[in-house]
Amino acid sequence: MSETGPRLRIAPSPTGEPHVGTAYTALFNYLFAKKTGGTFILRIEDTDATRSTPEFEEKVLEALKWCGLEWAEGPDVGGPYGPYRQSDRKDIYKPFVDKLVENGHAFHCFCTPERLELMRAGQRAEGKAPKYDGLCMHLKAEEVKARIDAGEPHVVRMKVPTEGSCKFTDGVYGDVEIPWDAVDMQVLLKADGMPTYHMANVVDDHLMKITHVARGEEWLASVPKHILIYQYLGLEPPTFFHLPLMKNPDRTKLSKRKNPTSISYYSALGYLPEALMNFLGLFFIQISEGEEMMDMDELIAKFDTDNLNKSGAVFDTQKLDWLNGRWLREKLSEDDFILRVARWAAENERMKKGLTLSQSRISKLGELPSLMGFLLQSDLVPAEAAFAGIKKTNPEEILDILRTVQPALEKLVEWNMDNVEACLRQVADDMGKKLRTVVAPLFVAMSGTSRSLPLFDSMEILGRAVVRQRLKVAEQVVAGMVAASAEK
Ligand code: GLU
């Protein structure tokens, strides 16, 4: 690996299930690094302490490893510019923030959340975009010192030019111009002493010697803030590439409400990582029809930043299925295929846990496929009859239950059997129903039948992403029943 080559990073925030968008961005950075003899790095951006969790961090590492995107430096493997987790770097940022304040590029702000809210409401009422009004920018140094000494909560904000615009060249968007007027006086250091994303991101990209920053298009509007911080610190900004966001086939922003977006959903259902990388990699290269099947080496060979398409990467699951099928049929030897299936079934100990739960419930092994098959099955769609068979609960009520359970489960920070159970008990309480009534439709939603393995264990084994999709499918089935009965 060359010491002087390009250095690129993927910088996920561990605040949710690892998203296919992260794999897409990581793949771009990986291909870029491999193509240019550079280095691919993983950095965990967990400055948002309220939303980041160790469980999600572990999951994102696991998911990117599953994708085959190996990093040369990262929180698990170390490297010359560590630590690679921002919460472990807290002390590193302070001197940079201090320098900005000393040089008059940033200031302490004592405005309370209440004042800021009032200010924003006023701006909105006038039809203006909410933005800090600069009140604390003009405080005298003695007053600032006295208030800090008195322990008054405060943040540090950056100053922003009032006139002109920020011009830069983006590797995907070309020449971009954003008026300074549209840029807020960003908070750089929070009241708890943690830097914000913007501050930590710039300092880390500098210290980790990142040469090219490739990330989602949603960060394009933040570039002026970042460029300004680089300039204030007397540093050279990296080259930016803002990748078009992935979209649903209807061209709306890819969202888990329409399409499963968790990497773990695709691994659980038996997509091959090679096929997923192949599918995502096609967004970054130009090929002719018939050339779609490509492994990582071929993607690297064809990778060219001039070939990006700006119109957006459509996450077309039919195309992914088609590619995955071809990978299974054409690229795996018989032995490799068998090995892959075994590895897939063992993932997250699904097979082991399923068997453990089944042992006391069978009289012969041949009953296993029908008892625990649902743990491995893809595209499970329960029959209407299975919902109709639920005693004492009509389809309207079932629909209500399914619709109430979904947002409640989304709020779970840690996904395990105990939390799932506690959540469903709470839902039952809130709805004034017995737990039995709430879980009956969930049995059907998860397994397609009303008698199967214990529900809470099964939901833990299936995992958040698969459970989400099954509930969505169940909701569609039951909504269809309700609509049909209304027509009668
Ligand atoms: N932590 C940011 C994210 O989750 C990274 C953005 C960047 O790469 O600068 O998307």
Side-chain angles (χ1 to χ4, degrees), residues 73 170 183 250 455:
E73 298 168 29
D170 184 82
V183 181
D250 65 6
L455 182 70

Side-chain angles (χ1 to χ4, degrees), residues 9 11 13 45 197 201 215 219:
R9 83 313 189 264
S13 296
E45 298 208 320
Y197 152 75
N201 186 273
R215 59 187 168 194
W219 297 107

Side-chain angles (χ1 to χ4, degrees), residues 363-391:
S363 54
K364 43 193 175 312
L365 301 184
E367 292 165 24
L368 285 170
S370 65
L371 182 63
M372 59 173 282
F374 75 96
L375 292 176
L376 300 172
Q377 198 174 333
S378 52
D379 311 312
L380 186 139
V381 184
E384 290 189 358
F387 287 110
I390 298 173
K391 297 213 172 64

Side-chain angles (χ1 to χ4, degrees), residues 63 70 91 125-126 149 200 203 217 255 257 317 331 386 414 446:
E70 207 181 315
D91 297 339
E126 285 174 41
D149 289 348
V203 168
E217 161 190 83
S255 80
R257 256 159 250 111
T317 45
K331 295 271 194 182
E414 210 181 316
M446 293 306 123

Side-chain angles (χ1 to χ4, degrees), residues 18-25 27 66-67 244-267 269 271-273 275-284 309 311-324 469 472:
H19 196 275
V20 283
T22 302
Y24 161 82
T25 310
L27 178 63
W66 177 82
C67 291
L245 290 184
M246 284 210 288
K247 295 183 177 157
N248 296 305
D250 65 6
R251 320 275 319 167
T252 54
K253 184 176 167 231
L254 188 65
S255 80
K256 61 186 174 202
R257 256 159 250 111
K258 296 209 172 144
N259 254 325
T261 54
S262 294
I263 300 171
S264 58
Y265 175 83
Y266 293 94
S267 61
L269 260 49
Y271 287 85
L272 298 181
L276 183 63
M277 292 303 103
N278 186 166
F279 172 73
L280 295 175
L282 294 181
F283 295 125
F284 307 136
N309 89 45
S311 66
V314 175
F315 199 85
D316 174 356
T317 45
Q318 276 177 2
K319 182 166 178 193
L320 175 59
D321 281 3
W322 171 76
L323 268 177
N324 200 59
Q469 178 67 8
K472 208 166 69 181

